[in-house]
C-alpha cells in the first residue's frame, strides 16, 4: 500500500523538520495552523509511526483543512483523508474511517487514480471486516485486489489478500484463509515491504493459533515482532504482544501471558488505541478469571465492555459479555451469568458469528448443568457441538465433548459418557500431535486444563471394569517412562495414541465422522455460492435456485446430525442388565461339577457380580459336596477400583500388600473355611469381567501369598471339557520362536530372548544347555509362515514357546498383534482366520506382554468377547496357554521360563504345580541379579551366606503376571 511506503520513507524528512523546529525555522506545536502542508503530513506520519494516533489526527486534520479548498492539492487532500481513515480505524471509529475513505475515493474517481481507488477499497474492506459486515468487507477487498493486480501494485494486492484471509478465518474457512495469507506474505516479500511482511506473519500466527497449532503460531508471532521492532512499529508491536499473551494463556502459562498482556496494554494506552486497549483488558480479565482472581477479572471485563460499547464494536462487546458471564458463573451467580450469556448470544446472532454462538451456547449449557437442568444443558451443548463440528476450532470442541461426557455420567448414562469421553480425549490427542515442537514445559502446561478429561474417562472405564482401556488413557498423560530392565512393551509416543473404541463404539464413531464430513462438505459448497451474494453480486435465477437447494441440504445435514446425537442417547442409555451367571445357568453348573469329578483335589471358584454385590460360587470335585454360594456387599465400582489400584502398585513395583490384603478379604476370605475343609491342591478360577485382569496368585492373607497355598489356574469359556480331560505327555519337545531384534520402531530389542530360547531348547542331544528337545526359530527365522508350518506338525512338538512382543489394543483384533522376525506382524485376526493349527499342543507359552487380556464389549447385543491372545489360542485347540497380564521384565522372564520347564520335566508334575513352585523360587529370594553380566539367575547354593546378594525379584511384578489357562495337568 502507498500508505505503508510512506511510513518507511518519511524518515528522510523527519531529521530536517526536527532541526528546523530546534532553530526556530518552523513553528512549534502551538502554531500548528502556520505549518506547511508538507510539514503537517510528515509530522503526522511520524506521530502515526510511533502509535500516537491522536497527534497524527491533529496534524492531518489541519492539513486537510489547508488542502480541501484547493483543487490543485486534491492528491494531497486524498493522502490526508486516507491517513485519517487509518487513524480512526486504529482508534476503533470504523464508520468514520469508512466515511473518510469514501471521500478519498471520490477524489480518486475525479483524478482517475486507480492506485488511490484501490487503497480506499482496502481501507473500507478492513473497516467493514472489523464491524463484522463480511459481505461489504469481501466486496471492497476483492475490488481493491482486482485494481491492484491490474496496475501491478504488490503492496495493495498484499493488503487485499490479508483482508480476505481475515474474513475467511473469522468464518472458520481456515484453508482458504491460509491461502490468502500466504499469498499476502509472498507479495510482501516480493515488494520488500517489511511492515506488510510483519502483518502477514502475524495473521498467519493468528490462524495457526485458531487451529491449535501453537508451536507454529509462536514462531510466526516472534518473526512478526522482530520485524516490527526493527522498523519501530509500536502499535504493531502491541498487537503482536497481545497475540503472544493469548497463546500463552491457551497454553496455561499465565505468568508469561500476563507479562505480554500488560506490555501490550501499556502500548495501547500510550498510543490511545482504544480498540486494542479493550481487547487487552478482555484478555487480562480472562487470565485473572482462570487464576480465580474474580474481582480483578470483573473490573477488567467491565472496562473492556465500556470501551467496546463506546466504539460501537459489537463483536468485542459480545465477547466481553460472554466473559463477564463466566465470572458470575464462577462466583455461583448463575442468574446473572445467564443474563450476560444471552446478551452475548443476541449480538452474536445479529452478527451471524457462528463461532461466537457456539462458545456462548457452550457456556449456557454449562450454566444449566450447574442448575441441574440437564435437559436444557444437553440442548445447548448439542447446539454448540453442531456448530463446532462444522468449524472444528481447536480450543472448544474437546471441551464440549468432555462436558457432554460429564452430564451423561451425572445422568448415569455411563456407556454414553465413555463414548463422549473417548471422543474428547482423541480430539486433544490430535492437538498434541500438532504441537510436538513446543518446548517440553509448554507441552506440559498445555495439557494442564485438559488432564481432567483423561482422568474422568479413565475413572469411568475403571468403574466399568474396562482396565486395558483405562490404562491406555492414563498412559497418554505420562511424560516419560523409566525401566530398570528392558520391557516387553510398546515404546511409541503416547501423544500420537488414540483411545480405541469397542465394536459398538466403533460403529457409532464411524457414523459420527461420516456425518461430520458430510456436514462440512455441505457447508463448504453452500458458502462458495453464497459468497457471491454476500459480495453484493446479483445471482441468476438458476444460481438463486441452486443456493436455496444447497441451503436446504445444509439444514438437512444439520438435522441429521442432531438426530444422530439423539439416537446415541437412546441406544447407549438402554439398560444392559448383567446376567448374574453370564449365560451359565444351573444346568451348566451341574455339568461343570460332573467334569470336576474327574479330577482330585481340585475346586472351581466362580466369581460373579452385579452393580451392588459380589457373588462367589464354590464347586468341588466331590459330588456329595453341594455348591456353596457366598455374597459380599461390595459394589462393582468399588471392586474395580481395588483391582485397578492393586495392578498399578504391581506394575510400578510399589507397596502392594495393603491392596493385596483387601482383595484377599473380598475374594478368598469368604470361602477360606470351605477351602480348609476341602484341602484342594489346585484352584480353578472362573473370573467375571474385570477379575480377568487380576493376578490371583499375588493375593495376600497377611502371612502368605495365595500361590504359596494353592496352584492357581484360570478356567474360562474356551476351556473345552475334552481339552481338560486330555492327559499331557510325560516328556515334551518344544519349538521355540523368539525375537531379540525388533525391527519395529514401536518396540525395544529383547536381548535376553536368545538366552531364554537357548536355555529351554536342546536342538542336539549333545548340547550342554537346553531342557527340552526341539527346534529354534530366532529373529529372521521366525516368520508367520514358519509358525504356521510348525504348528501343522502335530506330533513333532507338544510345546510352542513364543518369546516376543505382543501389542494389545483394547477392542481391536486387527491392531492387536504378535511381533515376528524382521518386524512382521501376526494379528489376532490373522490367528483367528489363518491356518494356525493349535490342536494337539499340550502348551503354548506366550512369553510376551499382556497376552492374557481380552475385553468384553458390553453393548454388543450378541455378547461376543473380543478375545485376548491366550483365549484365542485355546479356542484354536491348544490344551493350555501360559500367558501374561502385564509387560514382563526381560531378564527375570528368562529365568522363570527355564525353571518352569526344568521343574515340570524333572518332577513330572502338573503344569499348575510347576508354575507354583517356580513362583515360590522368586518369592523366597532364590532368583538374583548376577552383577558380573547383569543377568538374572538362581542363587548359587555354594555361596557363603554373607556373600549371597539380596534378591531383586521377590516383588510380584516379576512372578505374578504369569497365568495358566486351560488344562492345568
Amino acid at each position: 500500500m502507498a500508505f505503508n511506503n510512506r511510513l518507511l520513507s518519511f524518515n528522510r524528512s523527519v531529521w530536517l523538520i526536527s532541526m528546523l523546529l530546534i532553530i526556530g525555522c518552523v513553528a512549534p506545536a502551538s502554531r500548528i495552523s502556520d505549518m506547511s502542508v508538507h510539514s503537517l503530513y510528515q509530522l503526522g506520519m511520524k506521530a502515526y509511526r510511533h502509535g500516537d494516533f491522536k497527534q497524527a489526527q491533529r496534524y492531518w486534520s489541519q492539513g486537510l483543512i489547508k488542502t480541501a479548498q484547493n483543487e490543485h492539492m486534491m492528491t494531497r487532500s486524498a493522502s490526508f483523508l486516507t491517513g485519517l481513515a487509518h487513524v480512526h480505524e486504529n482508534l476503533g471509529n470504523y464508520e468514520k474511517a469508512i466515511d473518510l475513505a469514501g471521500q478519498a475515493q471520490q477524489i480518486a474517481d475525479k483524478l482517475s487514480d486507480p492506485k488511490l481507488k484501490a487503497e480506499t477499497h482496502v481501507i473500507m474492506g478492513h473497516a467493514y471486516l472489523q464491524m463484522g459486515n463480511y459481505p461489504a468487507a469481501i466486496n471492497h477487498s476483492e475490488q481493491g485486489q482486482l485494481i491492484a493486480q491490474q496496475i501491478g501494485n504488490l503492496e495493495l494486492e498484499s493488503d487485499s489478500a490479508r483482508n480476505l484471509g481475515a474474513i475467511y478465518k473469522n468464518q472458520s474457512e481456515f484453508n482458504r484463509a491460509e491461502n490468502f495469507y500466504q499469498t499476502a506474505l509472498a507479495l510482501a516479500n516480493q515488494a520488500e515491504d517489511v511492515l506488510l511482511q510483519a502483518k502477514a506473519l502475524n495473521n498467519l500466527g493468528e490462524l495457526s493459533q485458531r487451529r491449535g497449532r501453537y508451536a507454529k503460531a509462536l514462531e510466526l508471532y516472534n518473526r512478526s515482532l522482530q520485524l516490527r521492532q526493527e522498523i519501530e512499529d509500536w502499535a504493531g508491536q502491541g498487537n503482536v504482544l497481545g497475540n503472544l499473551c493469548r497463546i500463552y494463556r491457551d497454553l496455561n502459562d499465565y505468568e508469561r501471558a500476563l507479562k505480554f498482556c500488560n506490555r501490550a496494554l501499556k502500548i495501547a494506552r500510550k498510543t490511545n488505541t482504544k480498540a486494542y486497549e479493550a481487547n487487552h483488558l478482555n484478555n487480562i480479565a480472562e487470565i485473572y478469571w482462570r487464576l480465580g482472581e474474580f474481582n480483578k477479572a470483573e473490573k477488567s471485563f467491565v472496562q473492556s465492555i465500556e470501551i467496546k460499547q463506546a466504539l460501537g464494536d459489537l463483536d468485542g462487546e459480545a465477547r466481553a459479555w460472554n466473559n463477564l458471564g463466566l465470572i458470575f458463573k464462577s462466583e455461583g451467580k448463575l442468574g446473572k451469568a445467564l443474563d450476560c450469556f444471552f446478551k452475548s448470544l443476541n449480538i452474536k446472532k445479529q452478527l451471524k458469528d457462528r463461532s461466537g454462538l457456539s462458545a456462548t451456547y457452550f457456556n449456557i449449557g454449562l450454566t444449566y448443568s450447574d442448575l441441574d437442568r440437564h435437559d436444557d444443558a444437553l440442548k445447548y451443548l448439542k447446539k454448540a457441538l453442531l456448530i463446532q463440528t462444522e468449524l472444528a476450532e481447536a480450543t472448544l470442541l474437546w471441551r464440549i465433548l468432555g462436558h457432554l461426557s460429564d452430564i451423561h455420567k451425572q445422568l448415569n448414562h455411563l456407556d454414553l459418557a465413555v463414548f463422549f469421553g473417548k471422543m474428547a480425549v482423541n480430539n486433544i490427542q490430535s492437538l498434541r500431535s500438532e504441537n510436538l515442537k513446543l518446548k517440553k514445559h509448554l507441552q506440559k502446561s498445555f495439557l494442564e486444563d485438559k488432564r481432567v478429561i483423561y482422568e474422568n474417562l479413565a475413572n469411568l472405564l475403571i468403574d466399568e471394569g474396562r482396565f486395558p482401556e483405562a490404562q491406555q488413557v492414563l498412559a497418554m498423560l505420562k511424560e516419560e517412562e523409566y525401566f530398570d530392565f528392558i520391557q516387553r512393551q510398546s515404546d511409541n509416543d503416547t501423544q500420537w495414541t488414540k483411545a480405541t473404541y469397542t465394536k459398538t463404539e466403533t460403529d457409532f464413531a464411524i457414523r459420527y465422522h461420516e456425518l461430520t464430513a458430510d456436514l462440512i462438505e455441505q457447508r463448504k459448497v453452500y458458502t462458495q455460492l453464497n459468497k457471491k451474494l454476500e459480495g453484493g453480486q446479483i445471482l441468476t435465477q438458476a444460481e438463486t435456485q441452486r443456493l436455496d437447494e444447497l441451503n436446504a441440504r445444509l439444514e438437512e445435514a444439520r438435522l441429521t446430525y442432531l438426530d444422530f446425537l439423539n439416537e446415541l442417547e437412546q441406544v447407549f442409555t438402554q439398560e444392559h442388565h448383567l446376567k448374574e451367571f453370564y449365560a451359565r445357568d444351573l444346568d451348566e453348573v451341574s455339568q461343570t461339577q460332573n467334569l470336576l469329578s474327574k479330577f482330585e483335589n481340585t475346586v472351581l471358584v466362580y466369581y460373579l457380580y452385579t452393580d451392588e454385590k459380589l457373588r462367589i460360587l464354590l464347586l468341588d470335585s466331590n459330588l456329595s459336596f453341594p455348591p456353596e454360594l457366598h455374597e459380599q456387599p461390595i459394589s462393582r465400582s468399588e471392586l474395580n477400583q481395588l483391582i485397578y489400584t492393586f495392578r498399578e502398585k504391581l506394575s510400578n513395583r510399589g507397596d502392594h500388600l495393603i491392596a493385596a490384603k483387601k482383595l484377599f478379604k473380598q475374594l478368598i476370605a469368604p470361602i477360606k473355611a470351605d477351602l480348609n475343609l476341602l484341602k484342594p491342591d489346585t484352584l480353578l478360577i472362573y473370573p467375571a469381567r474385570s477379575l480377568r485382569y487380576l493376578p490371583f496368585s499375588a493375593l495376600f492373607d497377611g502371612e502368605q501369598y495365595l500361590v504359596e497355598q494353592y496352584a492357581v489356574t484360570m478356567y474360562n469359556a474356551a476351556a473345552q471339557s475334552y481339552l481338560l480331560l486330555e492327559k499331557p505327555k510325560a516328556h515334551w519337545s518344544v519349538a521355540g520362536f523368539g525375537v531379540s531384534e525388533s525391527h519395529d520402531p514401536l518396540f525395544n530389542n529383547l536381548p535376553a530372548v536368545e538366552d531364554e530360547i537357548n536355555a529351554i531348547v536342546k536342538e542336539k542331544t549333545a548340547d550342554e544347555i537346553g531342557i527340552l528337545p526341539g527346534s529354534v526359530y530366532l529373529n529372521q527365522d521366525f516368520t508367520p509362515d514358519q509358525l504356521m508350518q510348525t504348528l501343522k506338525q502335530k506330533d513333532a512338538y507338544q510345546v510352542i514357546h513364543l518369546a516376543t512382543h505382543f501389542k494389545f489394543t483394547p477392542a481391536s483384533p486387527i491392531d492387536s498383534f504378535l511381533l515376528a522376525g524382521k518386524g512382521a506382524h501376526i494379528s489376532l485376526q490373522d490367528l483367528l482366520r489363518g491356518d494356525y493349527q493349535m490342536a494337539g499342543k499340550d502348551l503354548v507359552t506366550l512369553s510376551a506382554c499382556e497376552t492374557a487380556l481380552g475385553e468384553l464389549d458390553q453393548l454388543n447385543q450378541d455378547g461376543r468377547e473380543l478375545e485376548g491372545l491366550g483365549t484365542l489360542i485355546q479356542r484354536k485347540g491348544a490344551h493350555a496357554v501360559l500367558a501374561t497380564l502385564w509387560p514382563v521384565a526381560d531378564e527375570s522372564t528368562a529365568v522363570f521360563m527355564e525353571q518352569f520347564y526344568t521343574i515340570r520335566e524333572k518332577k513330572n508334575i502338573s503344569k499348575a504345580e510347576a508354575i507354583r513352585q517356580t513362583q515360590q523360587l522368586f518369592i523366597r529370594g532364590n532368583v538374583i541379579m548376577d552383577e558380573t553380566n547383569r543377568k538374572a539367575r538362581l542363587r548359587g547354593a555354594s555361596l557363603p551366606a554373607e556373600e549371597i546378594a539380596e534378591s531383586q525379584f521377590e516383588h510380584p511384578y516379576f512372578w505374578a503376571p504369569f497365568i495358566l489357562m486351560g488344562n492345568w495337568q
Side-chain angles (χ1 to χ4, degrees), residues 232-251:
E232 297 183 355
D233 175 17
W234 292 103
Q237 288 178 48
N239 188 16
V240 180
L241 290 168
N243 286 336
L244 286 166
C245 164
R246 291 190 306 108
I247 200 168
Y248 282 112
R249 176 204 64 195
D250 289 348
L251 292 170

Side-chain angles (χ1 to χ4, degrees), residues 249 274-275 277-286 289 297-311 313-329 336-345 347-348 351 353 356 359-360 363:
R249 176 204 64 195
K274 290 295 184 181
E277 180 183 354
N279 288 339
H280 301 323
L281 284 166
N282 187 72
N283 293 334
I284 288 170
E286 185 172 348
W289 168 68
E298 184 175 346
K299 180 180 177 182
S300 295
F301 276 138
V302 169
Q303 290 178 37
S304 178
I305 289 174
E306 289 173 350
I307 296 172
K308 293 291 186 182
Q309 288 176 329
L311 294 176
D313 180 359
L314 291 176
D315 182 54
E317 182 184 349
R319 288 199 307 272
W321 278 121
N322 181 75
N323 292 337
L324 185 59
L326 292 174
I327 296 293
F328 290 131
K329 180 179 180 299
K336 286 187 175 181
L338 284 174
D339 287 342
C340 290
F341 290 143
F342 279 109
K343 285 181 181 178
S344 175
L345 190 67
I347 297 173
K348 293 294 183 183
L351 296 175
D353 177 5
T360 306
N363 290 327

Side-chain angles (χ1 to χ4, degrees), residues 905-934:
E905 187 71 8
K906 287 184 177 179
K907 297 186 178 182
N908 195 23
I909 57 178
S910 71
K911 295 185 286 288
E913 180 60 24
I915 290 172
R916 186 177 85 88
Q917 292 186 23
T918 302
Q919 290 175 321
Q920 286 181 323
L921 288 174
F922 281 75
I923 294 169
R924 294 168 184 172
N926 289 324
V927 179
I928 61 173
M929 176 65 75
D930 189 332
E931 297 297 337
T932 59
N933 58 15
R934 295 301 296 170

Side-chain angles (χ1 to χ4, degrees), residues 129 137-142 145 159-170 176-177 180-181 531:
L129 164 66
I138 291 173
N139 181 34
H140 284 288
S141 297
E142 288 183 341
Q145 183 184 46
D159 260 335
S160 300
R162 287 195 315 104
N163 277 357
L164 290 165
I167 293 165
Y168 291 116
K169 180 198 72 175
N170 289 356
R176 296 183 73 182
F180 279 113
Y181 283 148
K531 183 171 76 74

Side-chain angles (χ1 to χ4, degrees), residues 465-604:
R466 297 161 67 172
F467 295 139
E469 294 169 273
Q471 288 173 325
Q472 181 192 50
V473 170
L474 290 178
M476 296 175 196
L477 288 175
K478 295 181 181 178
E479 294 176 8
E480 295 177 272
E481 293 288 347
Y482 299 94
F483 301 98
D484 295 329
F485 302 94
I486 295 174
Q487 299 288 308
R488 299 187 181 185
Q489 64 179 25
S490 171
D491 194 34
N492 58 312
D493 191 339
T494 55
Q495 294 182 10
W496 292 92
T497 305
K498 296 291 183 71
T500 52
Y501 296 111
T502 63
K503 183 181 182 302
T504 302
E505 290 169 346
T506 298
D507 292 341
F508 281 97
I510 290 172
R511 285 184 58 196
Y512 173 83
H513 291 299
E514 288 174 349
L515 289 171
T516 297
D518 181 58
L519 191 56
I520 292 171
E521 180 62 24
Q522 294 296 341
R523 180 177 182 272
K524 178 181 176 182
V525 174
Y526 172 80
T527 303
Q528 287 173 347
L529 184 56
N530 191 52
K531 183 171 76 74
K532 291 182 65 176
L533 184 63
E534 290 181 338
Q537 300 181 43
I538 298 175
L539 301 183
T540 66
Q541 183 177 356
E543 287 177 327
T544 301
Q545 183 177 352
R546 171 67 173 159
L547 187 63
D548 290 341
E549 291 174 357
L550 291 173
N551 184 54
R553 287 186 188 177
L554 179 58
E555 289 304 316
E556 183 181 356
R558 288 170 176 166
L559 289 173
T560 301
Y561 181 86
L562 290 172
D563 287 343
F564 170 76
L565 294 180
N566 293 331
E567 181 187 350
L568 273 180
E569 292 181 5
Q570 292 173 4
V571 172
F572 276 84
T573 57
Q574 290 173 354
E575 292 187 6
H576 295 82
H577 295 293
L578 295 172
K579 293 183 179 180
E580 289 186 346
F581 289 85
Y582 297 96
R584 299 190 298 271
D585 55 21
L586 292 178
D587 288 338
E588 185 177 342
V589 171
S590 176
Q591 293 172 15
T592 303
Q593 193 166 27
N594 284 327
L595 176 63
L596 281 178
S597 68
K598 312 294 183 183
F599 307 98
E600 295 181 354
N601 302 320
T602 303
V603 298
L604 174 63

Side-chain angles (χ1 to χ4, degrees), residues 618-651:
L618 181 65
L619 280 74
D620 178 42
S621 57
N622 186 349
L623 295 177
S624 63
F625 189 90
E628 284 289 323
L629 182 64
H630 302 264
E631 292 188 352
Q632 287 291 97
I634 182 172
S635 70
R636 180 180 62 174
S637 61
E638 288 172 331
L639 181 58
N640 288 342
Q641 288 287 350
L642 273 179
I643 297 169
Y644 187 79
T645 299
F646 184 46
R647 279 182 57 98
E648 284 291 286
K649 294 292 184 183
L650 293 181
S651 62

Side-chain angles (χ1 to χ4, degrees), residues 253-481:
D253 188 345
Y254 299 131
E255 182 179 356
R256 188 173 300 186
L258 276 175
K259 287 181 180 178
F260 280 113
C261 262
N262 284 319
R263 286 173 62 188
L265 181 63
K266 185 177 180 180
I267 291 175
R269 285 174 170 168
K270 181 179 179 180
T271 58
N272 200 32
T273 48
K274 290 295 184 181
Y276 288 141
E277 180 183 354
N279 288 339
H280 301 323
L281 284 166
N282 187 72
N283 293 334
I284 288 170
E286 185 172 348
I287 294 168
Y288 280 130
W289 168 68
R290 294 191 184 193
L291 290 170
E293 299 184 39
F294 299 138
N295 290 334
K296 289 183 179 179
E298 184 175 346
K299 180 180 177 182
S300 295
F301 276 138
V302 169
Q303 290 178 37
S304 178
I305 289 174
E306 289 173 350
I307 296 172
K308 293 291 186 182
Q309 288 176 329
L311 294 176
D313 180 359
L314 291 176
D315 182 54
E317 182 184 349
R319 288 199 307 272
W321 278 121
N322 181 75
N323 292 337
L324 185 59
L326 292 174
I327 296 293
F328 290 131
K329 180 179 180 299
S330 299
E331 293 176 332
K333 301 173 182 176
L334 302 182
K336 286 187 175 181
L338 284 174
D339 287 342
C340 290
F341 290 143
F342 279 109
K343 285 181 181 178
S344 175
L345 190 67
N346 290 333
I347 297 173
K348 293 294 183 183
K349 287 180 178 178
Q350 178 183 338
L351 296 175
K352 298 181 180 179
D353 177 5
R354 288 183 63 76
S355 175
L357 278 172
S358 67
T360 306
Y361 282 142
F362 172 70
N363 290 327
I364 291 172
L366 297 192
T367 308
Y368 279 131
S369 178
D370 290 347
L371 290 166
D372 292 328
R373 293 170 59 177
H374 297 307
D375 288 342
D376 288 326
L378 288 173
K379 171 185 172 183
Y380 280 96
L381 286 177
K382 287 178 189 176
K383 287 185 176 183
L385 182 60
L386 171 63
I387 295 174
Q388 279 304 312
T389 298
E390 295 181 37
L391 305 185
E393 293 179 329
T395 57
L396 192 54
L397 185 56
W398 63 268
R399 297 179 191 273
I400 298 171
L401 293 167
H403 282 286
L404 282 168
S405 177
D406 289 342
I407 291 176
H408 283 294
K409 180 184 178 182
Q410 293 175 44
L411 294 171
N412 203 33
H413 303 159
L414 300 184
D415 294 321
L416 187 54
V418 166
F419 181 69
F420 279 121
K422 285 184 177 181
M423 293 179 70
V425 162
N426 288 342
N427 183 260
I428 297 170
Q429 288 297 102
S430 295
L431 292 178
R432 292 177 75 187
S433 68
E434 292 276 1
N435 289 284
L436 294 177
K437 292 183 179 179
L438 280 176
K439 293 180 180 179
K440 287 295 183 183
H441 75 278
L442 289 177
Q443 289 190 38
K444 183 177 179 181
S445 64
F446 168 72
L447 198 56
E448 280 306 306
D449 64 337
K450 303 162 187 69
R451 186 176 296 274
V452 66
I453 302 292
Y454 292 80
E455 292 171 346
N456 286 348
L457 174 58
N459 284 326
L460 275 169
L461 290 166
I462 291 169
D463 288 344
E464 291 288 284
R466 297 161 67 172
F467 295 139
E469 294 169 273
Q471 288 173 325
Q472 181 192 50
V473 170
L474 290 178
M476 296 175 196
L477 288 175
K478 295 181 181 178
E479 294 176 8
E480 295 177 272
E481 293 288 347

